[in-house]
């Protein structure tokens, strides 16, 4: 029976190629555009969610109010990390990521005759691997950043400089500008590990990680100097079942101490100041902090994009339903003949749904083909780095199945329960067409489409 339904549906599609092409392509284009836009929205709203225990990870940030205005800082002075580590038993792990002071956007790296300017390099401690999720290809996370001049690089950097991934023990010459503290330093770093490239939806992309003991070798006072305003992104991972509010007293004492140090060096005061913890998953959407590593998400644009996706999908669905009704009305005489030769109501209903299912299924398959074609251009337009494989997860598959069932039900119900109830004699006499029955729904659908547009 099912095979018969499918063969009849395919035969009907072949007879009306024009309707089929318009119907299938219209819905598939709507689905492809909708999925791409919603994938981008999901990408923007789920920054850093891939980290294990992301809900327990925070960045230490600072707010102060002076006579010239309010300021939010995403980096804190060097002494903050050791003080919090000593005074806060609620903290399970703590680390910081420190970019080169003056040449963070153009770090000269050399290997043999190859030299490039790189970005996204950070000095950090071994605890970074306990807080953030980095997938190791080669090397041991327990020892990768233990010693001065240790270096962890990503797979793309390994291929760029060496043409292979297993580069443990090899060296790169890196130039670091420490500002006025010491002259520019060029020295060799030994590669101790290779990690996977960081996903595109992270607020702190990484190309190389350098051991923090290297920077302390040149700047031994790093943990003592309060007035060093160079970026030090400090992260903590709280113990399980620990509330952020439990650190309020320690953060308040730290704020008071910083204020005293500020007055000591500048003979000025702030109107208000405090340290606070920013959840890792909220960093990308936070509009208060300026000078971020990467631009923050524009929530207004995200809302607009979501609305556009829904509108495009709605138009595609309405057009699909309208065309399905048109095809059903056009084939009304075939329906009447089937009823005369003995086809039962249930058989006709299932035939209508089978035809809608074939149309919808072909639309979905074409939609994924269109997504593969449009994805590179969409990534270039949005600046994201989404991949087609990201769409093939359980949530997307379940949502697609539910949406497919809904489309089949909506597009096939009119033909299944309205047209099949019309008497065969009226169908063959053409009373349906002369009286304009069936066109009312189409008019309503067209009006809705024009209203949405």
């Amino acid at each position: 029976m099912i095979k018969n339904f499918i063969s009849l549906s395919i035969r009907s599609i072949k007879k009306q190629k024009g309707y089929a092409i318009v119907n299938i392509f219209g819905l598939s284009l709507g689905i492809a555009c909708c999925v791409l836009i919603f994938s981008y929205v999901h990408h923007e709203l789920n920054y850093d969610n891939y980290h294990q225990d992301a809900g327990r990870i925070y960045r230490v940030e600072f707010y102060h109010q002076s006579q010239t205005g309010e300021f939010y800082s995403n980096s804190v002075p060097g002494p903050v990390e050791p003080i919090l580590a000593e005074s806060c038993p609620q903290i399970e792990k703590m680390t910081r990521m420190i970019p080169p002071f003056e040449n963070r956007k153009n770090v000269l790296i050399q290997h043999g005759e190859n030299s490039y300017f790189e970005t996204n390099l950070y000095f950090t401690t071994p605890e970074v691997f306990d807080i953030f999720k980095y997938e190791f290809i080669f090397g041991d996370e327990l020892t990768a950043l233990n010693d001065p001049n240790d270096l962890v690089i990503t797979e793309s950097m390994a291929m760029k400089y060496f043409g292979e991934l297993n580069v443990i023990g090899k060296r790169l010459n890196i130039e670091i500008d420490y500002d006025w503290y010491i002259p520019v330093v060029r020295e060799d770093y030994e590669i101790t590990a290779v990690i996977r490239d960081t996903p595109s939806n992270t607020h702190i992309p990484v190309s190389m990680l350098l051991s923090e003991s290297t920077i302390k070798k040149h700047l031994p006072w790093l943990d003592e100097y309060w007035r060093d305003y160079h970026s030090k992104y400090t992260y903590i991972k709280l113990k399980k079942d620990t509330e952020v509010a439990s650190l309020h007293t320690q953060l308040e004492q730290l704020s008071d101490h910083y204020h005293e140090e500020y007055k000591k060096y500048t003979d000025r005061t702030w109107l208000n100041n405090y340290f606070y913890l920013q959840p890792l998953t909220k960093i990308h959407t936070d509009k208060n902090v300026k000078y971020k590593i990467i631009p923050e998400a524009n929530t207004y644009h995200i809302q607009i994009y979501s609305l556009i996706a829904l509108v495009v999908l709605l138009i595609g669905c309405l057009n699909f339903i309208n065309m399905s009704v048109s095809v059903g009305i056009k084939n009304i005489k075939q329906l009447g003949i089937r009823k005369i030769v003995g086809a039962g109501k249930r058989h006709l209903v299932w035939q209508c749904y089978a035809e809608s299912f074939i149309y919808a299924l072909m639309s979905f398959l074409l939609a994924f083909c269109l997504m593969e074609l449009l994805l590179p251009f969409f990534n270039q337009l949005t600046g994201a780095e989404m991949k087609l494989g990201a769409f093939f997860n359980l949530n997307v598959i379940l949502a697609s199945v539910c949406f497919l069932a809904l489309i089949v039900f909506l597009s096939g119900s009119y033909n299944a329960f309205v047209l099949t109830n019309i008497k065969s004699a009226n169908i063959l006499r053409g009373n349906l067409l002369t009286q304009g029955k069936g066109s009312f729904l189409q008019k309503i659908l067209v009006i809705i489409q024009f209203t949405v547009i």
Side-chain angles (χ1 to χ4, degrees), residues 56-124:
R56 294 195 282 136
I57 302 174
Y58 298 82
R59 184 170 68 186
V60 183
E61 300 186 355
F62 183 69
Y63 164 86
H64 76 268
Q65 181 184 10
S66 66
Q67 290 78 3
T68 57
E70 295 181 312
F71 301 91
Y72 292 84
S73 174
N74 56 5
S75 80
V76 294
V80 169
E81 186 203 27
I83 291 177
L84 284 181
E86 182 179 350
S87 63
C88 298
Q90 305 94 322
I91 297 176
E92 180 178 303
K93 294 291 181 179
M94 191 168 187
T95 192
R96 59 189 171 190
M97 302 183 75
I98 308 173
F101 285 179
E102 288 299 310
N103 62 333
R104 59 184 300 174
K105 294 185 177 181
N106 55 349
V107 179
L108 179 62
I109 299 180
Q110 187 172 5
H111 173 67
E113 297 180 354
N114 298 323
S115 59
Y116 302 94
F117 287 104
E118 303 290 356
T119 59
N120 301 325
L121 282 78
Y122 299 94
F123 293 96
T124 188

Side-chain angles (χ1 to χ4, degrees), residues 81-260:
E81 186 203 27
I83 291 177
L84 284 181
E86 182 179 350
S87 63
C88 298
Q90 305 94 322
I91 297 176
E92 180 178 303
K93 294 291 181 179
M94 191 168 187
T95 192
R96 59 189 171 190
M97 302 183 75
I98 308 173
F101 285 179
E102 288 299 310
N103 62 333
R104 59 184 300 174
K105 294 185 177 181
N106 55 349
V107 179
L108 179 62
I109 299 180
Q110 187 172 5
H111 173 67
E113 297 180 354
N114 298 323
S115 59
Y116 302 94
F117 287 104
E118 303 290 356
T119 59
N120 301 325
L121 282 78
Y122 299 94
F123 293 96
T124 188
T125 62
E127 286 76 17
V128 71
F129 304 121
D130 297 316
I131 297 178
F132 297 119
K133 179 183 177 182
Y134 295 109
E135 183 181 351
F136 276 70
I137 302 175
F138 296 102
D140 184 358
E141 63 181 76
L142 298 177
T143 59
L145 293 174
N146 282 354
D147 301 320
N149 295 81
D150 279 351
L151 176 65
V152 175
I153 66 175
T154 61
E155 55 183 323
S156 60
M157 290 292 103
M159 294 301 297
K160 182 176 181 178
Y161 285 93
F162 301 99
E164 59 178 325
L165 292 179
N166 191 358
V167 293
I168 303 298
K170 296 186 178 181
R171 295 175 177 271
L172 288 175
N173 185 267
I174 302 177
E175 178 182 278
I176 303 295
D177 187 347
Y178 292 98
D179 199 12
W180 53 270
Y181 305 114
I182 58 174
V184 173
V185 176
R186 293 189 62 174
E187 53 188 343
D188 288 338
Y189 289 75
E190 182 178 346
I191 299 172
T192 55
V194 179
I195 59 175
R196 296 289 182 194
D197 292 337
T198 52
S200 60
N201 58 339
T202 178
H203 80 283
I204 186 163
V206 166
S207 61
M208 297 186 183
L209 296 173
L210 298 74
S211 56
E212 188 179 286
S213 55
T214 308
I215 193 173
K216 286 185 176 180
K217 178 179 66 175
H218 300 291
L219 308 176
W221 41 260
L222 188 70
D223 292 340
E224 303 170 3
Y225 191 39
W226 285 93
R227 292 194 62 209
D228 181 7
Y229 294 104
H230 290 292
S231 297
K232 300 173 189 65
Y233 307 112
T234 303
Y235 299 88
I236 67 171
K237 180 178 179 180
L238 297 180
K239 295 179 179 178
K240 290 184 178 180
D241 302 321
T242 299
E243 298 293 334
V244 174
S246 65
L247 279 75
H248 176 74
T249 301
Q250 292 97 326
L251 291 174
E252 188 174 302
Q253 293 173 350
L254 184 62
S255 300
D256 293 338
H257 184 63
Y258 187 20
H259 194 195
E260 292 300 319

